[in-house]
Amino acid sequence: MVEAYYCYARWGAKAKINQLEAKYPELLTSILQQQQVEFNRFDSIEKVTQTLISKTKSKTTNTGLSDILDLASLLQAAHAISSTIELEPLLANILQIILTNAGAQKAILLIPEIDQWYLRAIAELTTDGRIETDTNSQLLTTESPVPIRLIQYVKNTQSVVLINKGKTDVAGIIEGYLLTYQPQSVLCMPLLHQGDLVAILYLEHPTTKGVFTTERQTIIQFLCAQAAIALENAQLYELTQQALRDLQQALRDLQQAQLQIVQSEKNVCIRKFTFWYRP
């Protein structure tokens, strides 16, 4: 409900926001309390973030201070995702931000391309606290470092799956990779945009159980909503850029063909001139 509230707010659906506030106040308590911070729900992410930060500068002791800072940090993370338009930097950006906020040690983003799924980006937290990211596209196969049956289940049902201590409510998905490596915390989540499956996010922590708490899942879902929109925009941008490159290449080919025609006609004229006006 919190995720829906923020999505409607970003879309500017004021009537829907008012309806949610009136009908589900008990589910939106944290948000309604944040209204005391006095920011406009329909402002841009940048403006909201700056408002929250400026509010905290004038307060040294306040029970809601940490919540305000957490929200400001979350909005800054969402802005960092939505402000990237090129696909390759966006993939790395999404995983780095989600890995930082999720508590996972490994994050993989899977994206469909022409009826096949690819591991488009992999991020892992190293022992010294750095995040290593690989954006080399890999075809999803039985050898991929993800649980295939789990990925297929999320793809087909478009539902979130949580695995804790090797246990889950979904029957039949604990096999293969999950049995071999036995990660203690796993979260697999679809990235949806306007009802379409844009990508699948796979998160895991190999040794710690209970990592993906309800609060963290809410944060991850919020960031995934921003990521889905950003991915859709980036893919459209990439298609537009490719179409532009194709058009430019076609124009160069046409110009080259025209030059060849002109040169050919010149050669014909020269041969005719040489034939008629030989000394």
Side-chain angles (χ1 to χ4, degrees):
M1 188 60 68
V2 170
E3 181 187 359
Y5 183 96
Y6 278 121
C7 287
Y8 282 123
R10 289 203 65 196
W11 294 337
K14 190 174 187 303
K16 191 63 178 177
I17 290 300
N18 293 336
Q19 182 191 30
L20 292 178
E21 289 179 357
K23 194 171 182 179
Y24 306 104
E26 71 283 357
L27 298 180
L28 301 172
T29 302
S30 60
I31 297 178
L32 297 178
Q33 288 176 348
Q34 291 294 342
Q35 290 181 1
Q36 298 174 359
V37 183
E38 297 177 359
F39 65 84
N40 187 339
R41 296 188 300 266
F42 305 101
D43 283 340
S44 64
I45 287 177
E46 303 97 309
K47 188 173 181 180
V48 171
T49 303
Q50 291 304 317
T51 300
L52 289 168
I53 293 174
S54 65
K55 289 287 182 182
T56 62
K57 287 181 179 179
S58 61
K59 299 179 181 180
T60 55
T61 57
N62 191 305
T63 55
L65 181 59
S66 61
D67 292 337
I68 293 172
L69 290 172
D70 288 344
L71 180 57
S73 176
L74 184 59
L75 290 171
Q76 284 179 321
H79 171 61
I81 291 174
S82 61
S83 62
T84 308
I85 191 62
E86 294 184 358
L87 187 57
E88 290 298 323
L90 175 63
L91 293 171
N93 206 12
I94 288 173
L95 286 193
Q96 288 177 1
I97 289 172
I98 290 180
L99 201 61
T100 301
N101 288 275
Q105 282 198 348
K106 179 180 178 180
I108 297 178
L109 196 63
L110 299 99
I111 296 178
E113 296 179 17
I114 316 177
D115 298 328
Q116 289 186 307
W117 282 80
Y118 289 83
L119 282 68
R120 286 294 281 110
I122 301 174
E124 294 191 67
L125 189 65
T126 62
T127 54
D128 58 357
R130 294 181 298 104
I131 296 177
E132 294 183 347
T133 306
D134 181 7
T135 56
N136 292 321
S137 182
Q138 306 173 32
L139 180 65
L140 177 63
T141 68
T142 54
E143 303 300 320
S144 299
V146 291
I148 300 297
R149 191 170 295 178
L150 171 61
I151 298 300
Q152 290 174 340
Y153 178 85
V154 173
K155 175 175 72 72
N156 294 331
T157 64
Q158 298 186 5
S159 58
V160 179
V161 175
L162 174 66
I163 300 175
N164 189 31
K165 295 187 293 184
K167 297 179 181 179
T168 180
D169 295 333
V170 182
I173 63 172
I174 305 298
E175 52 82 47
Y177 176 92
L178 294 176
L179 288 178
T180 301
Y181 296 98
Q182 299 183 357
Q184 292 299 293
S185 294
V186 170
L187 182 66
C188 195
M189 184 175 295
L191 274 66
L192 303 173
H193 178 54
Q194 297 179 348
D196 295 327
L197 183 61
V198 176
I200 292 175
L201 175 68
Y202 173 81
L203 299 171
E204 78 169 40
H205 197 294
T207 58
T208 304
K209 62 183 180 181
V211 168
F212 305 115
T213 61
T214 301
E215 182 182 20
R216 274 183 172 160
Q217 288 183 54
T218 301
I219 291 173
I220 295 168
Q221 286 178 333
F222 174 75
L223 293 174
C224 282
Q226 314 308 310
I229 297 171
L231 279 171
E232 187 76 6
N233 291 338
Q235 288 171 332
L236 289 174
Y237 176 78
E238 188 175 64
L239 288 174
T240 302
Q241 292 299 107
Q242 184 59 50
L244 179 59
R245 289 191 291 269
D246 292 343
L247 183 60
Q248 290 172 337
Q249 183 61 48
L251 180 60
R252 287 193 292 268
D253 293 342
L254 179 60
Q255 290 173 336
Q256 183 64 32
Q258 289 175 332
L259 287 174
Q260 290 175 352
I261 292 172
V262 170
Q263 186 61 46
S264 177
E265 290 178 347
K266 284 183 178 179
N267 292 338
V268 170
C269 291
I270 290 173
R271 285 196 297 271
K272 288 182 177 179
F273 179 82
T274 303
F275 177 80
W276 290 108
Y277 295 96
R278 286 181 296 180

